[in-house]
Amino acid sequence: MNKKSALVLGAGGFIGGHLANKLKRNGYWVRGVDLKHNEFQRMEADEFIIGDLRNPDLVKSILDRSFDEVYQLAADMGGAGYIFTGDNDANVMHNSAIINLNVINEAVFSGSKKVFYSSSACIYPLYNQLDPENPKLSEESAYPAAPDSEYGWEKLFSERLYFSFQRNYGINVKVARFHNIFGPYGSWNNGKEKAPAAICRKVAEADENGEIEIWGDGNQTRSFLYIDECLQSVERFMANNDFSGPVNIGSEEMVTINQLAEMTMEIAGKKLRIKHIPGPTGVRGRNSDNKLIKEKLGWAPSERLFDGLKKTYPWIKSEVEKLRNQ
């Protein structure tokens, strides 16, 4: 019996690296593609190609067959310090849009059967995320559109791009909106890290009874989903033949950034002061609305944030110590 084949674009990144390895362990033949090798985990893919997905010839060469599943996670992205300053807007929009235009076009010509596109909670309107206690992020609330960043606008455009190709060319697409995925083996100190990794790093670096800095007042709310449950969600979504999305993939456990820091300190066994400083904070409130995923898949992520942090903090602490000892 022939193995299923999967193409993972963005396999050098955090979610893509975890996904490529999981697919391989599940018995797939896997080709990974990215600008760089995965920095933090050994890749188990059958092939790993270094290449620039902005180049249409490269995309044509990697989609040289009909894949059972194509996973498009490649994007120019990062945490708040990268997305919300405005300094990277042109690259974020240009690079990611060209990648998606190339990929969906060649996926059609290659006859690939199913394409997963990773969108983002950043597509949701700013006006629905002003109240930190009561953000509205149900899937249908994306319109009238008013994302809080150019990153969100590009993601929303690309959602429409994939669904247009589905309508016009009949290719099976799946669109998921990721909400703050975290875990080991991701960026933690290069300016592109997300809040859980950044806070784990700050706590790990801090002296006992010292302090850590947090941008803003720390009362902005978010939910964070551990990588394993993200991958479970993607797997269940791809196996469902009746629903294309878009669907939220995230946790409904909403916390303030101050609470996230307190949890991390508890795990580390450190009691540190929090110093609030000016910095990009994004929207005031964001939390996944999981009603649709429960309805369509009969399941939703449920792992507690604290449990995911307990698996993430030791890895980041070990990376901090490695760097210190160099």
Side-chain angles (χ1 to χ4, degrees):
M1 182 174 165
N2 290 333
K3 288 183 176 182
K4 273 190 168 182
S5 58
L7 176 66
V8 181
L9 307 173
F14 165 55
I15 302 175
H18 280 280
L19 175 63
N21 282 349
K22 180 171 184 178
L23 288 166
K24 180 60 185 171
R25 290 182 210 122
N26 286 352
Y28 283 69
W29 185 92
V30 179
R31 173 182 288 166
V33 184
D34 210 316
L35 278 172
K36 58 177 178 56
H37 285 288
N38 197 289
E39 295 172 67
F40 301 115
Q41 57 181 321
R42 187 180 68 82
M43 295 308 300
E44 300 170 28
D46 297 274
E47 290 181 3
F48 195 100
I49 294 170
I50 301 294
D52 190 338
L53 295 166
R54 293 171 299 182
N55 180 342
D57 293 330
L58 181 279
V59 175
K60 182 176 275 192
S61 73
I62 60 168
L63 274 156
D64 58 351
R65 67 185 77 177
S66 171
F67 282 89
D68 292 298
E69 296 170 9
V70 175
Y71 294 86
Q72 191 345 51
L73 293 90
D76 192 336
M77 57 86 69
Y82 188 76
I83 295 297
F84 296 120
T85 60
D87 297 340
N88 306 294
D89 286 351
N91 285 340
V92 163
M93 295 196 83
H94 173 269
N95 294 340
S96 297
I98 284 186
I99 289 169
N100 287 310
L101 288 162
N102 288 339
V103 167
I104 188 59
N105 193 55
E106 287 303 330
V108 168
F109 282 115
S110 70
S112 292
K113 298 178 179 65
K114 198 178 285 188
V115 179
F116 174 88
Y117 172 60
S118 62
S119 185
S120 166
C122 290
I123 64 94
Y124 285 110
L126 179 60
Y127 57 77
N128 280 343
Q129 301 175 82
L130 300 175
D131 180 355
E133 298 299 322
N134 192 32
K136 178 176 171 56
L137 285 94
S138 53
E139 286 82 355
E140 82 286 348
S141 74
Y143 296 92
D148 66 345
S149 62
E150 302 300 354
Y151 174 78
W153 277 108
E154 188 284 321
K155 285 290 188 184
L156 193 59
F157 160 77
S158 290
E159 285 190 12
R160 300 185 70 92
L161 171 71
Y162 282 86
F163 284 128
S164 296
F165 270 76
Q166 178 169 259
R167 286 194 306 274
N168 294 164
Y169 293 99
I171 188 167
N172 187 351
V173 305
K174 302 277 190 177
V175 175
R177 295 168 178 167
F178 286 162
H179 289 245
N180 292 315
I181 315 303
F182 78 101
Y185 312 125
S187 296
W188 62 275
N189 72 338
N190 65 356
K192 290 192 172 187
E193 64 272 20
K194 303 288 184 71
I199 287 176
C200 284
R201 183 196 76 240
K202 290 175 183 182
V203 170
E205 289 175 343
D207 296 327
E208 295 291 338
N209 303 314
E211 69 178 20
I212 62 169
E213 295 180 341
I214 286 180
W215 289 336
D217 61 11
N219 291 319
Q220 62 270 32
T221 56
R222 295 292 186 275
S223 65
F224 302 96
L225 182 66
Y226 189 67
I227 183 64
D228 288 357
E229 286 209 302
C230 172
L231 299 183
Q232 284 181 50
S233 302
V234 171
E235 184 176 11
R236 287 169 181 264
F237 186 28
M238 289 291 277
N240 183 300
N241 291 320
D242 303 319
F243 177 52
S244 293
V247 67
N248 289 326
I249 290 183
S251 167
E252 287 187 316
E253 182 188 354
M254 189 169 71
V255 298
T256 67
I257 300 301
N258 287 333
Q259 288 172 325
L260 175 66
E262 294 288 350
M263 283 186 191
T264 308
M265 286 186 252
E266 183 181 342
I267 290 164
K270 293 181 177 181
K271 188 61 182 169
L272 307 170
R273 296 181 303 280
I274 295 176
K275 179 182 179 183
H276 296 105
I277 62 170
T281 59
V283 296
R284 285 301 287 168
R286 177 170 288 161
N287 189 30
S288 186
D289 182 323
N290 286 352
K291 285 194 285 292
L292 188 63
I293 195 172
K294 289 171 185 171
E295 176 193 325
K296 296 296 186 181
L297 304 186
W299 178 88
S302 60
E303 181 172 280
R304 293 187 323 142
L305 172 59
F306 191 83
D307 293 332
L309 286 170
K310 279 200 296 189
K311 292 178 270 192
T312 305
Y313 178 77
W315 178 77
I316 291 179
K317 182 178 179 229
S318 72
E319 290 295 304
V320 168
E321 289 170 352
K322 264 193 266 182
L323 203 58
R324 277 179 179 159
N325 295 329
Q326 280 181 359

